[in-house]
Amino acid sequence: MSEEPSPMFDHIREDIASVLERDPAARSGLEVLLCYPGLWAVWLHRMANRLWHAHLRLPARVLSQVARFLTGVEIHPAATLGRRLFIDHATGVVIGETAIVGNDVTLYQGVTLGGTGKGHGKRHPTLCDRVFVGNNANVLGNITIGQNSRVGAGSVVLSDVPPNSTVVGVPAHIVYLAGQRVLITDPHDIKDPLSDALIALADRVKGLEQQLGGQRAEATPFAAEEAERSAYREELDRLRDYVSMGEGI
């Protein structure tokens, strides 16, 4: 009677298949197995996580540090990772103790799923299914990134993100929601520390213009540079009949 396949090997097979599906640089299953440290980090975490839940906390931490040394990825043994997590390029990724990562999530290099202080309890983010986080993005605190959402490279996310959204910026703000472009009309929506100062300055300029009672002149930005470019193009057109590219080389 044949034995049932091991769930561990089932997970390894589906992890390799998911990388082949999502990474155009992956050419074969053997290449993925041998050359993708992001997958090694996930597999070693699964072992460390089992040790952690078996109350073998020190061996679990030691194994996580071995994984960090080998792969450049630091995942706390208590973190909860879903299936088919793909950590592309791996280096510099940090996943905190109370982080929860759903299924089919993609993380690029330098991503941090971290906390914002020394509090206890749930203090790291939750990433729902099919979330994409670009390189060097920071997702901080006990927040939730909704399913199918995307975090732009270099963004700092400090608040919840609804499903099917794209967020960018420092701090991050929504630019796409359910496939529709989100236009920001109020600077407060950006949540930038300088928003209040910019609003006050704009209001002051508007008030001064009203006091002067004049019409604001519509200045053309970079007018001098544009005039110089136009003159240069005219000179090229004038010389085109006499000079051909590469002549005399």
Side-chain angles (χ1 to χ4, degrees), residues 39-110:
L39 282 186
W40 307 343
V42 172
W43 296 336
L44 289 169
H45 168 76
R46 288 176 182 157
M47 292 187 283
N49 186 255
R50 289 186 178 184
L51 292 174
W52 184 269
H53 289 294
H55 302 287
L56 299 172
R57 303 293 170 85
L58 181 57
R61 290 302 302 269
V62 170
L63 181 56
S64 72
Q65 293 304 301
V66 171
R68 176 188 179 186
F69 176 77
L70 293 175
T71 67
V73 177
E74 181 170 351
I75 308 175
H76 194 282
T80 301
L81 305 185
R83 300 177 72 167
R84 298 176 296 279
L85 169 62
F86 177 31
I87 304 177
D88 198 6
H89 302 292
T91 305
V93 171
V94 177
I95 301 177
E97 178 182 7
T98 61
I100 299 174
V101 178
N103 298 325
D104 302 299
V105 169
T106 300
L107 307 178
Y108 274 81
Q109 70 272 18

Side-chain angles (χ1 to χ4, degrees), residues 160-178:
D160 292 339
V161 175
N164 306 300
S165 301
T166 299
V167 296
V168 299
V170 181
H173 57 278
I174 299 172
V175 293
Y176 282 94
L177 179 60

